[in-house]
Amino acid sequence: MANCTVPDIPDKNTTGDTLYGGRICDQIFVDWAWPAYKFNSEYWKHGFGFDDVCNTDLPAARMLSAIWLLNYSAEDYMNEDWNSSCLQWACRYVREQVGDLRSMCGDGTYIAYTTGGHIELYLGCFYSKDVPGRAETLMHESRHQGGKPHDANFPSWSGFGAGKSGADSTWDYEGAWMYGALYLWWFYAEGTRTTPAIRELARQRAQYVIDNAFATHPGYVI
Ligand SMILES: [Zn+2]
């Protein structure tokens, strides 16, 4: 990341990086997850963590942690049936949609961006989001990749920027914001192999998305 200005790294006990970072430091997991989630290796070199995947200061470890969370938080994680809860199938959805996963500095405008068949993840994703929040980003961007663009402007009360584009019209539109929030909600409710504090981070983020990312408030309180 020679050209990036990396911000101060938030406390890794709080963000979940200590817990999940210990788990992803496993060659068998990395060898499976790297191709399964379409990491484009060229974009993870030069300081992004390609050759230092156990280093939770770096983007590669921080995204692998989110992928571990996505895959193993359901009690019976082998069940990825679409008819079960989002906690079960989110890992499969991202795996099937994600194409060409790239790590980049970004200019601070976006956390991540999906365009032309690839997903770009930026510093804001790696360093402003906790581990469940990064899993949310993967779900969000995968939903874009799956063909659902944003279809509304943020409402007047939105912390994402009143009147700006990038919102979803409704929960029932089943767009990127809904997919991300739905996952966090299930992770909060039934997530395993985690801590109550990390589940609470997921609840707070899901509620924030529900309260701010839809032109018509979904009306849910988690
Ligand atoms: Zn989006």
Side-chain angles (χ1 to χ4, degrees):
M1 285 184 289
N3 302 318
C4 289
T5 304
V6 176
D8 289 341
I9 297 172
D11 182 88
K12 291 194 271 192
N13 293 326
T14 305
T15 57
D17 285 290
T18 303
L19 178 65
Y20 290 94
R23 295 170 176 172
I24 59 101
C25 190
D26 168 359
Q27 196 65 48
I28 293 171
F29 172 74
V30 174
D31 286 348
W32 169 75
W34 198 266
Y37 285 86
K38 314 290 196 312
F39 283 74
N40 181 334
S41 295
E42 279 310 306
Y43 286 84
W44 297 85
K45 294 176 180 173
H46 315 297
F48 286 95
F50 174 79
D51 49 13
D52 197 6
V53 292
C54 292
N55 184 347
T56 55
D57 284 354
L58 300 179
R62 298 172 81 83
M63 294 315 298
L64 286 166
S65 291
I67 287 168
W68 197 101
L69 183 152
L70 266 179
N71 276 276
Y72 303 119
S73 293
E75 182 64 50
D76 56 333
Y77 59 80
M78 294 297 285
N79 170 19
E80 298 184 346
D81 196 295
W82 298 124
N83 293 319
S84 54
S85 85
C86 179
L87 189 66
Q88 311 284 149
W89 55 253
C91 53
R92 177 182 173 193
Y93 185 77
V94 174
R95 222 159 47 232
E96 291 189 359
Q97 297 301 329
V98 71
D100 198 353
L101 193 62
R102 301 180 181 186
S103 177
M104 301 172 76
C105 300
D107 65 4
T109 306
Y110 296 109
I111 293 283
Y113 201 80
T114 296
T115 178
H118 64 264
I119 294 177
E120 298 178 356
L121 304 172
Y122 306 129
L123 293 184
C125 177
F126 312 131
Y127 299 110
S128 77
K129 303 201 85 180
D130 47 47
V131 176
R134 285 170 232 150
E136 176 216 350
T137 296
L138 290 170
M139 275 289 272
H140 182 121
E141 298 305 320
S142 294
R143 191 59 173 155
H144 287 321
Q145 187 102 329
K148 281 273 186 171
H150 294 304
D151 69 338
N153 293 334
F154 290 108
S156 60
W157 61 82
S158 176
F160 291 120
K164 283 169 42 180
S165 62
D168 288 344
S169 52
T170 64
W171 183 264
D172 291 341
Y173 174 64
E174 297 189 353
W177 290 114
M178 183 271 202
Y179 265 50
L182 184 68
Y183 181 75
L184 292 174
W185 191 345
W186 277 104
F187 176 81
Y188 164 68
E190 294 189 0
T192 62
R193 304 177 188 89
T194 191
T195 67
I198 294 172
R199 287 168 53 216
E200 173 61 17
L201 293 174
R203 187 195 67 77
Q204 290 173 9
R205 173 64 184 177
Q207 190 66 57
Y208 189 83
V209 169
I210 287 169
D211 288 341
N212 291 278
F214 298 88
T216 300
H217 193 295
Y220 298 129
V221 177
I222 301 172

